[in-house]
Amino acid sequence: MPGQLDLFVPGVVYLDVIFTGLRELPGPGTEVWAPGMGSCPGGVANLAVAASRLGLHTGLGTALSTDAYGEFCHQVLSRQEGIDLSASKRVSDWHSPVTVSVAYDRDRSMITHGHPLPTEPDGLVNGLPAARSAAVSLAGSGMGWVHRAKAEGMLVFADVGWDETEEWSPDVLATLTDCHAFLPNSVEAMRYTRTDEPRQALDKLSGLAPVVVVTCGGDGAIATDATTGEVASVPAVPVEALDPTGAGDVFTAGFITGTLGGWPLADRLAFANLVAALSVQHFGGSLSAPGWGDIADWWAGVRAAGSRGHDDSAEAELARRFGFLDDVIPPGRRDAVHRATATIARLSDARAEH
């Protein structure tokens, strides 16, 4: 279908401002200097950017203010990241929501300010575009568009946020009847199913959607796919983690990429683990999402190390696990542009590149 998207993502875009390299947080009445700083679109933009860098034709349904922050996010998303914003709109009487993230001691603290998104009752801005897939974060309201998406043939991938009420009502999961896949983390999965182990949670959730994935952080991910009968458990990729911001969104983008590509379940999980692992090695939400160039560089190093090691070495096992990358890394993308370095101060640079 002409103009059809690979992925449609509706939701709120924040301006993320990330300070990095701090040894400690400032105490009352004190000031500290941050060695590093970056600015980028955040919120649902994390998933949209991650998917776009993996080659998916991605559209975003959101409201972007006409203020300076909204203009920056619009320029980065549309010009630098190549995201389709035709289902979004500009709003002049609403200011951009902002999140300031402070990264220190391999953890982060955040401060957010914003007002409700000026949008339609069902959570969309300019309607539902034609797309192969869509992503949704489950909530108690505004989910009507998911049923329409399924009726139009879209594969809907769902996650769920932390329940601040700590009630973990099963009613939140009712929308899963219209979803193709559900990707909670292990804590969320166990809370909603009242279980004590991720695998028990996976078993209980497996009847709610055709595909269920439970992410387990450093222990990797487990999943079932009722459409193929596959069951898979894949370990995490060992990396030095610096900042987990947006890693879940990057994982989802990787899993959607593999699903739309028709990959086996174990390869989809391994790829999603990989791109999430590559993202946590860098600071800052959508800034850290890897592109095919980053993936190709990582794979070249792993393959070389695997060929030098013994057959039973960790390097050789990693090379065997990711051997499928030879078939999926697009040849024209092996030397592609890597992660972005978007900051407000460099907005003129981003414009000049286009």
Side-chain angles (χ1 to χ4, degrees), residues 20-41:
T20 67
L22 278 77
R23 296 183 178 178
E24 60 184 8
L25 291 177
T30 67
E31 178 183 19
V32 296
W33 281 82
M37 172 187 165
S39 304
C40 60

Side-chain angles (χ1 to χ4, degrees), residues 76-95:
V76 170
L77 290 170
S78 61
R79 297 188 181 186
Q80 183 170 311
E81 301 296 345
I83 293 172
D84 188 319
L85 296 179
S86 58
S88 300
K89 66 179 179 181
R90 305 301 300 275
V91 183
S92 59
D93 57 351
W94 176 73
H95 70 75

Side-chain angles (χ1 to χ4, degrees), residues 16-22 36-42 46 99-110 239-251 273-290 339:
D16 282 356
V17 180
I18 307 104
F19 293 98
T20 67
L22 278 77
M37 172 187 165
S39 304
C40 60
N46 290 335
T99 294
V100 175
S101 177
V102 180
Y104 66 101
D105 194 25
R106 298 182 184 176
D107 206 340
R108 71 195 190 282
S109 297
M110 294 177 286
V239 295
E240 185 75 13
L242 293 179
D243 183 3
T245 304
D249 294 316
V250 176
F251 180 97
N273 276 339
L274 171 61
V275 291
L278 294 179
S279 76
V280 302
Q281 292 181 295
H282 297 263
F283 289 106
S286 63
L287 283 177
S288 66
R339 293 176 179 87

Side-chain angles (χ1 to χ4, degrees), residues 83-155:
I83 293 172
D84 188 319
L85 296 179
S86 58
S88 300
K89 66 179 179 181
R90 305 301 300 275
V91 183
S92 59
D93 57 351
W94 176 73
H95 70 75
S96 299
V98 177
T99 294
V100 175
S101 177
V102 180
Y104 66 101
D105 194 25
R106 298 182 184 176
D107 206 340
R108 71 195 190 282
S109 297
M110 294 177 286
I111 302 173
T112 297
H113 173 75
H115 296 282
L117 181 71
T119 182
E120 299 301 321
D122 66 355
L124 299 181
V125 176
N126 280 342
L128 187 64
R132 298 171 64 196
S133 66
V136 62
S137 186
L138 299 180
S141 60
M143 299 287 101
W145 69 271
V146 176
H147 183 71
R148 300 200 307 276
K150 180 183 179 182
E152 294 181 16
M154 296 186 203
L155 299 179

Side-chain angles (χ1 to χ4, degrees), residues 262-329:
W263 306 355
L265 180 61
D267 290 350
R268 283 178 268 163
L269 282 187
F271 184 74
N273 276 339
L274 171 61
V275 291
L278 294 179
S279 76
V280 302
Q281 292 181 295
H282 297 263
F283 289 106
S286 63
L287 283 177
S288 66
W292 281 113
D294 301 293
I295 296 165
D297 288 347
W298 178 88
W299 174 232
V302 166
R303 186 169 49 186
S307 66
R308 293 192 300 267
H310 299 291
D311 287 345
D312 59 350
S313 67
E315 293 81 5
E317 174 57 30
L318 199 60
R320 285 192 294 269
R321 167 64 275 182
F322 286 94
F324 68 93
L325 289 178
D326 279 330
D327 298 321
V328 302
I329 296 177

